[in-house]
Amino acid sequence: MACQSTASDSNNNYIKGANLMDELLDRSAIKDSIKKDEQAEVDIQHESGIDQSTLIEISGLNKWYGQFHVLRDINLNVSKGEKIVICGPSGSGKSTLIRCINCLEEHQEGSIVVDGTRLTNDLKNIETIRREVGMVFQQFNLFPHLTILENCTLAPIWVRKQSRKDAEKVAMEYLERVRIPDQANKYPGQLSGGQQQRVAIARSLCMNPEVMLFDEPTSALDPEMIKEVLDVMIELAQEGMTMLCVTHEMGFARTVADRVIFMDEGQIIEQAPPEAFFSNPRSDRTRKFLGQVLNH
Amino acid sequence: MMNHELKMIPAREPPVMAVGVLAWIRNNLFASTLSIVATLLIVYGLFLSIPPLVQWALVDATWFGADSNACNREGACWAFVTARLDQFIYGFYPAEHQWRPNLFFAQLAVLVLWLSLKWTPGKQWVLGYSLLLMPFVSWFLLYGDLPGLEKVETHQWGGLMLTLLLALCGMIASLPFGVLLALGRRSNMPVIRSLCTAYIELWRGVPLITVLFMASVMLPLFVPEEVVFDKLLRALIGIILFQSAYMAEVVRGGLQAIPKGQFEAFNSLGLSYWQGMIMIILPQAMRLVIPGVVNTFIALFKDTSLVLVIGLFDLLAIIQAGLNDPAWLGNSVEGYLFAGFVFWIFCYGMSKYSQRLEQQLHQGR
């Protein structure tokens, strides 16, 4: 299937590097552990006590960049209200996975169903899904030529067809919730990184999405500003928002995640509730990764 | 043990530089031996060239007269320009209808002032009028053939009026076409992309003179006589088609400078391609390409003088024609200086306006 993405990508260098990695790494150990995990995944689905209505259903997802196989046989169901943290080394495909959900990346095999709508080639279909899926980027991606308030009201006015007055009212509510209502008439360039990322979260929330995707939301921030963004995300989680979050913030994962997913080499290596994931990782690869992330 | 008492250092004023006129002169003109020598040489050069030029162009000049004999041979013969000024401005436009070009000029002046002054209201409406309606209003005003307006054939048009009309219509029409072509060349759809690329490369690859010749000479040979329309209009369409290819590449440069994240951000919010382009990408891209666009405009303004090869009398062509008048022989320096001066005024004005626009658009960022 082909997404209607407006940006053209050039991943050639990336692909070459990753292919090399593929050859260098011996992956047999990983494959063994995956077999065990397939059974474990089924268990988790039944164990979790949260609302069972499925919001996102990903099955048999495969994606290639040219010759490079980035996502391999991904199966993932996300229930309404569930908070999932995806972690893994860089180049493991975690960002690509969540970007497939709102079709910023096209996939070649498998199916993605969001809130009952199956992702197809159809432009209308893609726009319907994007309306229900909010996304927060590593680089904030605010619109620099619009004020904070205009950033937040643009999509509600033009996509949801709200009146300017209603959209502004909603936007101010969300800006208050992320604690920057007084900046509403400034431009993004006048705000700090942490403030910009909170605006980006508010901008997504203004569309009243069913699910929020976070693509390393704190990775581009100064250490002093990470907490203010995480606090907003924790609040959001407590209010029951469905969240898929790619992050290296393991503290955040412990606090809010219902499930932690570990990815490597384009596949889901392990998934478990945070206590089990951190205290008793089953695969060697996960153990090694956690050792590197947690002990520094 | 040392007592670690934390002392915050208060902010201080920066050191005061040597200021004043004398300090500036010393720093900028006489800072080193080399700069002293350069300054003296330049001053000497100016001393040699400026006074004779002023003497010739202003002091000894003859401003009015009936023909070359009225002119003082020591100075410039501006009488050539003043005597023929009407023709230089209106071409062969009938004298009793000259209020129409005057109205056209007045309209331009008002629009330019309205758009460049800070305090005027409703700029977006004025801009909209200038871009959408103004070319047509101007055409009908000048061409006539309407109730109450007599028809003035385009072969009677000429001079500054023609230059401005060609340049304005060329600029105004080439911008939207250029934007569409640039978007097309970056499109994901292969057919549209290759068509736009082919168009751009084709038109950029031929000289404007060729385009004008094709429009004026070749087209009538291939197309039945009753279908062939006005020569001026053909030239204008040629200029627009040619110029949009250049404009497309300028705009494409701006589009490429927009980070991929901006596209992803509007996509992820559910905005459609056109909504995103019009509200997010183009406003940012156009801001970036103002210098390039104005550069293309200035080039176009000067390129309009090429229409003389197909027998249209723009400002330069009509001045050249005047030089051949037996009554005014030997005034080519004055004629070309005047033409250059008028072209420079307009081009410099455009450049200044664009600088102002850039400053205004960067406020608050």
Side-chain angles (χ1 to χ4, degrees):
Chain A
M1 70 148 285
C3 288
Q4 302 290 330
S5 75
T6 10
S8 48
D9 9 28
S10 58
N11 288 295
N12 288 335
N13 291 334
Y14 171 62
I15 294 163
K16 274 179 208 149
N19 272 336
L20 202 65
M21 287 277 291
D22 249 15
E23 286 161 22
L24 291 177
L25 282 170
D26 175 22
R27 285 176 287 125
S28 55
I30 301 169
K31 275 179 189 145
D32 287 346
S33 65
I34 295 164
K35 283 197 185 108
K36 282 181 231 154
D37 285 348
E38 272 165 10
Q39 187 53 43
E41 187 192 338
V42 178
D43 293 346
I44 292 164
Q45 296 282 325
H46 290 289
E47 275 168 27
S48 54
I50 42 177
D51 185 357
Q52 284 297 314
S53 65
T54 307
L55 197 60
I56 299 176
E57 216 179 313
I58 301 173
S59 55
L61 184 69
N62 277 286
K63 174 171 172 58
W64 288 262
Y65 282 130
Q67 287 297 307
F68 177 51
H69 199 170
V70 252
L71 292 179
R72 306 175 192 181
D73 297 333
I74 303 282
N75 293 304
L76 176 65
N77 287 347
V78 182
S79 307
K80 211 170 171 56
E82 198 178 7
K83 290 106 190 112
I84 295 180
V85 166
I86 305 172
C87 59
S90 59
S92 60
K94 46 197 197 312
S95 286
T96 311
L97 172 60
I98 66 166
R99 287 158 61 87
C100 279
I101 295 173
N102 66 351
C103 210
L104 287 182
E105 304 278 354
E106 59 183 87
H107 59 274
Q108 284 82 29
E109 277 177 17
S111 84
I112 299 176
V113 180
V114 180
D115 201 17
T117 313
R118 203 188 136 101
L119 199 55
T120 63
N121 247 337
D122 182 30
L123 202 60
K124 284 275 160 270
N125 200 313
I126 293 169
E127 279 168 16
T128 310
I129 287 179
R130 282 175 176 164
R131 241 171 274 166
E132 303 307 327
V133 179
M135 183 150 193
V136 176
F137 300 88
Q138 183 177 353
Q139 298 294 342
F140 329 137
N141 292 347
L142 295 177
F143 305 130
H145 61 303
L146 301 177
T147 64
I148 300 307
L149 190 61
E150 287 166 341
N151 262 282
C152 293
T153 56
L154 187 83
I157 290 173
W158 291 95
V159 180
R160 292 256 189 244
K161 310 289 178 202
Q162 292 178 4
S163 72
R164 178 168 298 271
K165 216 176 127 197
D166 290 350
E168 279 178 1
K169 193 166 148 263
V170 173
M172 285 312 293
E173 276 167 26
Y174 281 115
L175 285 176
E176 242 154 73
R177 271 179 47 187
V178 300
R179 293 182 279 279
I180 28 180
D182 44 329
Q183 315 279 1
N185 291 313
K186 287 193 182 168
Y187 288 92
Q190 296 167 300
L191 269 55
S192 74
Q195 289 174 321
Q196 289 194 44
Q197 193 60 299
R198 284 184 281 150
V199 172
I201 295 173
R203 177 175 72 176
S204 287
L205 291 175
C206 284
M207 282 295 283
N208 199 14
E210 288 289 326
V211 53
M212 288 282 285
L213 309 175
F214 292 86
D215 188 1
E216 306 203 23
T218 54
S219 299
L221 294 175
D222 289 342
E224 283 180 275
M225 297 169 181
I226 291 178
K227 189 175 176 298
E228 62 187 55
V229 171
L230 287 181
D231 284 348
V232 167
M233 288 168 63
I234 291 170
E235 262 176 50
L236 195 61
Q238 284 162 351
E239 285 161 23
M241 174 63 78
T242 313
M243 291 163 72
L244 266 91
C245 192
V246 173
T247 184
H248 299 294
E249 297 294 331
M250 291 303 143
F252 173 78
R254 268 187 224 271
T255 324
V256 302
D258 296 314
R259 193 167 13 144
V260 181
I261 292 177
F262 176 68
M263 284 183 73
D264 193 16
E265 309 254 325
Q267 38 205 326
I268 295 180
I269 305 286
E270 180 162 353
Q271 45 182 321
E275 318 84 66
F277 181 83
F278 288 111
S279 57
N280 187 22
R282 274 171 306 199
S283 86
D284 290 341
R285 185 68 190 88
T286 316
R287 219 165 289 140
K288 195 168 158 233
F289 174 77
L290 286 176
Q292 279 161 345
V293 178
L294 297 176
N295 306 323
H296 59 76
Chain B
M1 262 190 51
M2 293 261 298
N3 184 13
H4 283 282
E5 197 180 319
L6 181 63
K7 267 191 196 152
M8 300 299 279
I9 302 168
R12 293 191 295 265
E13 291 285 314
V16 182
M17 309 281 282
V19 283
V21 180
L22 279 177
W24 186 90
I25 289 176
R26 200 184 56 224
N27 289 335
N28 292 287
L29 299 179
F30 301 103
S32 66
T33 327
L34 189 66
S35 95
I36 292 173
V37 172
T39 304
L40 291 177
L41 277 177
I42 290 170
V43 169
Y44 183 62
L46 291 176
F47 173 74
L48 283 186
S49 56
I50 296 283
L53 189 68
V54 172
Q55 185 79 18
W56 175 82
L58 300 174
V59 180
D60 289 341
T62 313
W63 293 91
F64 300 99
D67 57 24
S68 281
N69 298 330
C71 287
N72 169 11
R73 283 294 104 192
E74 296 300 306
C77 186
W78 298 121
F80 166 66
V81 174
T82 49
R84 289 180 158 264
L85 198 58
D86 256 23
Q87 213 183 56
F88 291 171
I89 293 176
Y90 306 106
F92 307 105
Y93 211 86
E96 70 271 23
H97 291 301
Q98 276 179 6
W99 61 271
R100 280 151 64 174
N102 284 339
L103 198 60
F104 165 67
F105 290 132
Q107 172 190 241
L108 284 186
V110 169
L111 290 179
V112 166
L113 275 180
W114 200 283
L115 288 175
S116 52
L117 290 178
K118 270 204 179 102
W119 43 266
T120 44
K123 281 206 173 62
Q124 67 270 40
W125 297 106
V126 177
L127 193 68
Y129 170 80
S130 312
L131 295 182
L132 299 174
L133 287 176
M134 197 264 282
F136 298 98
V137 171
S138 307
W139 178 267
F140 285 114
L141 176 68
L142 295 171
Y143 188 68
D145 207 12
L146 295 171
L149 273 183
E150 217 173 292
K151 185 165 160 182
V152 179
E153 291 285 357
T154 53
H155 65 80
Q156 292 176 293
W157 303 13
L160 183 62
M161 177 193 114
L162 184 66
T163 298
L164 282 180
L165 193 81
L166 284 172
L168 271 175
C169 292
M171 290 171 196
I172 289 170
S174 66
L175 195 57
F177 284 130
V179 169
L180 288 179
L181 283 168
L183 291 177
R185 193 168 183 175
R186 281 173 56 85
S187 162
N188 285 337
M189 288 172 264
V191 177
I192 292 185
R193 188 172 56 229
S194 11
L195 279 178
C196 290
T197 309
Y199 178 95
I200 292 169
E201 295 306 338
L202 179 77
W203 286 93
R204 275 204 312 172
V206 289
L208 182 56
I209 283 203
T210 320
V211 176
L212 292 173
F213 264 126
M214 288 296 272
S216 76
V217 184
M218 302 301 276
L219 198 66
L221 294 181
F222 296 118
V223 179
E225 207 168 319
E226 53 272 23
V227 183
V228 172
F229 44 92
D230 192 86
K231 180 159 84 172
L232 176 61
L233 211 53
R234 274 181 281 148
L236 190 55
I237 290 171
I239 288 177
I240 291 170
L241 293 178
F242 179 84
Q243 214 62 39
S244 11
Y246 277 89
M247 200 53 78
E249 287 300 277
V250 172
V251 174
R252 193 167 68 93
L255 290 175
Q256 270 170 348
I258 304 297
K260 205 177 147 202
Q262 294 288 310
F263 294 85
E264 292 178 350
F266 85 70
N267 276 332
S268 73
L269 284 170
L271 290 164
S272 73
Y273 173 83
W274 286 108
Q275 285 174 334
M277 283 299 156
I278 292 170
M279 291 186 292
I280 307 298
I281 304 302
L282 282 175
Q284 295 182 58
M286 294 314 285
R287 206 164 288 184
L288 291 175
V289 297
I290 289 174
V293 167
V294 173
N295 194 32
T296 315
F297 279 174
I298 288 177
L300 163 67
F301 188 81
K302 293 183 292 185
D303 277 353
T304 55
S305 55
L306 288 175
V307 296
L308 77 97
V309 302
I310 58 168
L312 292 173
F313 285 90
D314 79 311
L315 179 65
L316 184 65
I318 213 152
I319 289 176
Q320 271 185 334
L323 293 174
N324 295 329
D325 183 343
W328 291 104
L329 286 177
N331 286 312
S332 45
V333 174
E334 289 85 345
Y336 286 124
L337 271 180
F338 176 72
F341 181 67
V342 174
F343 274 102
W344 179 79
I345 293 267
F346 281 98
C347 294
Y348 185 67
M350 278 190 266
S351 161
K352 273 284 157 208
Y353 177 66
S354 83
Q355 283 169 19
R356 212 121 132 233
L357 202 61
E358 275 179 76
Q359 270 172 8
Q360 279 174 10
L361 290 173
H362 281 99
Q363 272 167 4
R365 244 138 296 187

